[in-house]
Amino acid sequence: MLGLMQDWPLTVDKIIDHARNWHGDREVVTRSVEGPIVRTTYAAIHERAKRLSNALKAWGIEPGDRVATLAWNSANHMETWYGIMGIGAVCHTLNPRLFPEQLGWIINHAEDRVVFTDLTFLPLLEAVLPHCPTVERVVVLTDAAHLPQTKIPSLQDYESVLAGQSADCAWGGFDENTACGLCYTSGTTGNPKGVLYSHRSNFLHTFMAMTATVMGATPSEVILPVVPMFHANAWGIAFAGPASGTKLVMPGARMDGAALYELIEGEGVTFSAAVPTVWQGLFAHMKANDLRFSTLKRVLIGGSACPESLIRGFQQDFGVEVTHAWGMTETSPIGTIGHLPPEIAGLPYDEQMKWRTKQGVPPLGVELALKDEAGQPVAHDGETFGRLMVRGPIVAAGYFKSDASILDDQGFFDTGDIATVDPQGFMQITDRAKDVIKSGGEWISSIEIENIAVGHPKVELAAVIGAPHAKWDERPVLIIKLKPGETLNKAEHLDHLRGRIAKWWMPDDVVQAEDIPLGATGKIDKKLLRERMKDYRLPESA
Ligand code: ADP
């Protein structure tokens, strides 16, 4: 027997309709690429997104066509999302931090027809677009006065495009499983892979993101997504904000410490989200100028492991609570959340740290399993490593234009991460499968060593990779980038680790590097690092 409730397709146009109807005056504030801080509201975003939809239709964009954005976090960028998705076209977020060749490859693979972009990226597009025959037009998110001369044909300014259209346009009316967004993973192995979100998956993810344990989005909060809209959908904030009537503050092109601090204080930001490396710049600025937060209460940190020093720094120096989370492009991206249950939150702060550095438990809607190489369940003892597998309505079932199956026979997606789960249910990422160090048949977690190493006051970045070893196969090497003006003392670094990790996990060597390469999503690029270290030999085996 079927239930007798209404069929109300979960399509994301309803999110911005809701924001317009019930939170229409709530602001979205942007540091514009042109310079000034600009203000708009959900009602205005809704109206302009409708105009954009009409422009797309006038250009012959059909449901299912891919329309790309190459843009910073801004109200304009939000308008393009809703304008594209509302008519059933697919919003393809491009990551400007990719190499031009990769970007071109992705645009061609997606067959993007239109690109919306910020002024910042015109030189990049000038280089890429001659190789992208499917792109028919480029719209710059600016007005006519700011539109520069470029070599790009059919370049238009956004304001003129909107001005020429009516705000009357029908949205939705299609199946909730219709494709809605496309985001490629950065392709640290092989070619980039396109994750194709549906309206339904984004809608359900929005409910998850809004909850108290994740973002706690309400009209009383003010959220600053530092995490870019091109990096796994800004972790859902461009949907959760309007869904809950929360004021959003968009950093545009400037994510340096001074710019972020000014926005946080100036706009009364209470919650923010970013990868760990962003916060280091903010801390440095605040410490140098002896600054404090007056409104910021909580930050969500994920994308790579959050070191203990950052969690303590936020809490002890600035009174800000850190929520550690794990996810990936394929999980929309929220996969687990490190919200502390009362049994752990009631412990002395130092004892909580064991759980605060873990990535937490899945929210409702994510099923999580830890499996061994044979696909068998691994003990939840907090020690045994297993492959992290997930399934649920916000998890990818396949990649765009690929027939390859990415699910196991129980429908679980293999995340490529290695993790443990402890008796309290807290998951901890120990490594990406390709980064794990295999020493004497046992596995060493590079992430755990890195997190402790980066807590040393002289260290800016730390990476651990495996170096070939005659007896043990591989042994860990710690690569360090020091803070400006500091000097390296190898023994000092090893002393800092000693007693905090198992003896046999102690790195065989410490190497100082001028630079540790970061990838397109702000994480250490281990593939490139291994490439740079390919001639390195451990002292014993040299
Ligand atoms: P990519 O970095 O490959 O472009 P994603 O942003 O989707 O793509 O990255 C997802 C990966 O980032 C995860 O599979 C995991 O390895 C890593 N990751 C994400 N959050 C965390 C975290 N809190 N701790 C450790 N690793 C994390």
Side-chain angles (χ1 to χ4, degrees):
M1 197 195 308
L2 294 178
L4 280 171
M5 305 308 279
Q6 298 185 6
D7 183 19
W8 191 79
L10 306 178
T11 57
V12 303
D13 51 292
K14 291 181 172 122
I15 294 178
I16 199 74
D17 279 350
H18 175 81
R20 189 266 319 257
N21 293 342
W22 303 103
H23 308 284
D25 292 338
R26 191 82 57 227
E27 280 185 315
V28 177
V29 179
T30 304
R31 184 189 295 283
S32 65
V33 172
E34 295 87 348
I37 290 178
V38 294
R39 292 169 188 282
T40 184
T41 62
Y42 286 127
I45 288 177
H46 184 276
E47 204 244 16
R48 285 159 59 86
K50 289 254 170 177
R51 290 176 186 270
L52 177 77
S53 293
N54 277 327
L56 293 172
K57 285 169 121 180
W59 298 332
I61 296 296
E62 300 281 343
D65 283 350
R66 273 77 65 201
V67 176
T69 64
L70 180 68
W72 301 112
N73 289 5
S74 70
N76 285 343
H77 194 179
M78 273 183 78
E79 289 162 8
T80 64
W81 277 29
Y82 286 102
I84 297 164
M85 296 176 188
I87 58 166
V90 178
C91 176
H92 175 199
T93 46
L94 292 166
N95 184 341
R97 296 181 185 138
L98 293 172
F99 295 114
E101 302 73 40
Q102 277 176 313
L103 205 57
W105 188 94
I106 289 174
I107 291 172
N108 289 333
H109 189 264
E111 299 174 80
D112 296 324
R113 291 186 58 190
V114 179
V115 180
F116 289 90
T117 190
D118 276 318
L119 284 164
T120 329
F121 305 122
L122 288 176
L124 179 58
L125 282 177
E126 277 187 355
V128 170
L129 288 182
H131 311 286
C132 301
T134 63
V135 175
E136 297 157 30
R137 63 180 77 230
V138 176
V139 180
V140 189
L141 298 171
T142 191
D143 55 18
H146 288 90
L147 195 69
Q149 288 291 330
T150 74
K151 288 190 238 114
I152 302 171
S154 19
L155 195 73
Q156 283 162 286
D157 75 276
Y158 184 62
E159 293 302 331
S160 303
V161 166
L162 296 191
Q165 297 294 334
S166 120
D168 186 12
C169 177
W171 275 345
F174 38 74
D175 189 292
E176 64 184 22
N177 288 302
T178 301
C180 154
L182 178 63
C183 181
Y184 284 73
T185 63
S186 51
T188 32
T189 50
N191 278 328
K193 298 182 281 276
V195 178
L196 189 62
Y197 306 103
S198 66
H199 281 262
R200 175 186 155 82
S201 72
N202 277 343
F203 208 106
L204 293 175
H205 187 268
T206 303
F207 282 134
M208 269 181 208
M210 287 159 71
T211 54
T213 53
V214 184
M215 287 171 196
T218 71
S220 319
E221 302 291 323
V222 179
I223 300 184
L224 170 77
V226 186
V227 55
M229 290 165 72
F230 54 76
H231 184 197
N233 303 318
W235 302 349
I237 294 174
F239 296 118
S244 52
T246 307
K247 172 177 167 181
L248 293 183
V249 181
M250 302 297 217
R254 285 197 53 201
M255 280 156 277
D256 56 285
L260 289 179
Y261 184 78
E262 186 197 17
L263 277 185
I264 291 171
E265 288 300 303
E267 298 300 328
V269 171
T270 59
F271 178 88
S272 185
V275 297
T277 38
V278 165
W279 304 115
Q280 266 129 18
L282 181 60
F283 276 19
H285 171 75
M286 291 179 67
K287 288 202 166 134
N289 297 285
D290 197 20
L291 300 170
R292 292 281 169 275
F293 292 121
S294 50
T295 54
L296 189 69
K297 291 188 303 240
R298 204 155 70 88
V299 293
L300 185 68
I301 300 187
S304 53
C306 184
E308 179 174 336
S309 51
L310 196 55
I311 298 172
R312 281 188 189 274
F314 257 119
Q315 183 79 51
Q316 292 176 344
D317 299 344
F318 301 114
V320 173
E321 177 76 10
V322 170
T323 305
H324 192 190
W326 165 85
M328 59 196 312
T329 307
E330 286 89 335
T331 63
S332 298
I334 296 167
T336 62
I337 282 284
H339 179 82
L340 301 186
E343 316 71 271
I344 297 173
L347 295 172
Y349 190 70
D350 282 353
E351 287 174 39
Q352 295 172 15
M353 207 43 80
K354 180 173 155 199
W355 287 278
R356 285 183 177 271
T357 50
K358 297 188 180 192
Q359 286 78 2
V361 301
L364 176 67
V366 177
E367 276 187 69
L368 189 152
L370 207 57
K371 298 188 180 185
D372 65 16
E373 295 298 327
Q376 293 306 307
V378 165
H380 288 189
D381 57 9
E383 283 175 12
T384 316
F385 291 15
R387 301 185 79 92
L388 182 64
M389 315 283 292
V390 286
R391 71 177 177 195
I394 61 151
V395 180
Y399 292 111
F400 186 49
K401 290 187 179 173
S402 160
D403 295 330
S405 162
I406 60 168
L407 308 181
D408 73 2
D409 53 10
Q410 294 178 308
F412 279 95
F413 168 71
D414 186 340
T415 65
D417 285 328
I418 304 295
T420 58
V421 176
D422 69 19
Q424 288 74 22
F426 266 56
M427 185 277 284
Q428 182 162 33
I429 301 282
T430 58
D431 253 311
R432 285 198 167 189
K434 55 186 184 295
D435 295 336
V436 79
I437 298 164
K438 300 195 174 92
S439 181
E442 299 284 346
W443 289 0
I444 296 176
S445 163
S446 65
I447 293 185
E448 203 166 326
I449 307 175
E450 287 161 6
N451 282 348
I452 299 169
V454 84
H456 191 287
K458 291 184 179 177
V459 173
E460 187 171 312
L461 281 173
V464 175
I465 60 171
H469 189 282
K471 180 168 175 201
W472 303 111
D473 290 338
E474 277 186 336
R475 289 295 303 155
V477 181
L478 173 61
I479 300 152
I480 292 287
K481 181 186 175 192
L482 293 169
K483 288 183 180 158
E486 298 291 355
T487 48
L488 170 84
N489 176 339
K490 185 168 157 181
E492 205 182 345
H493 286 293
L494 293 175
D495 282 347
H496 178 73
L497 294 175
R498 202 164 285 120
R500 291 181 157 123
I501 53 172
K503 236 179 177 167
W504 64 278
W505 283 26
M506 286 293 285
D508 281 25
D509 197 10
V510 183
V511 176
Q512 186 185 342
E514 290 290 302
D515 168 46
I516 292 184
L518 299 181
T521 47
K523 307 174 199 189
I524 293 172
D525 185 341
K526 292 228 176 136
K527 192 178 162 208
L528 189 56
L529 190 61
R530 277 193 288 264
E531 179 64 29
R532 283 189 191 169
M533 296 282 291
K534 68 178 190 304
D535 297 326
Y536 168 86
R537 293 289 170 271
L538 286 167
E540 296 87 335
S541 37

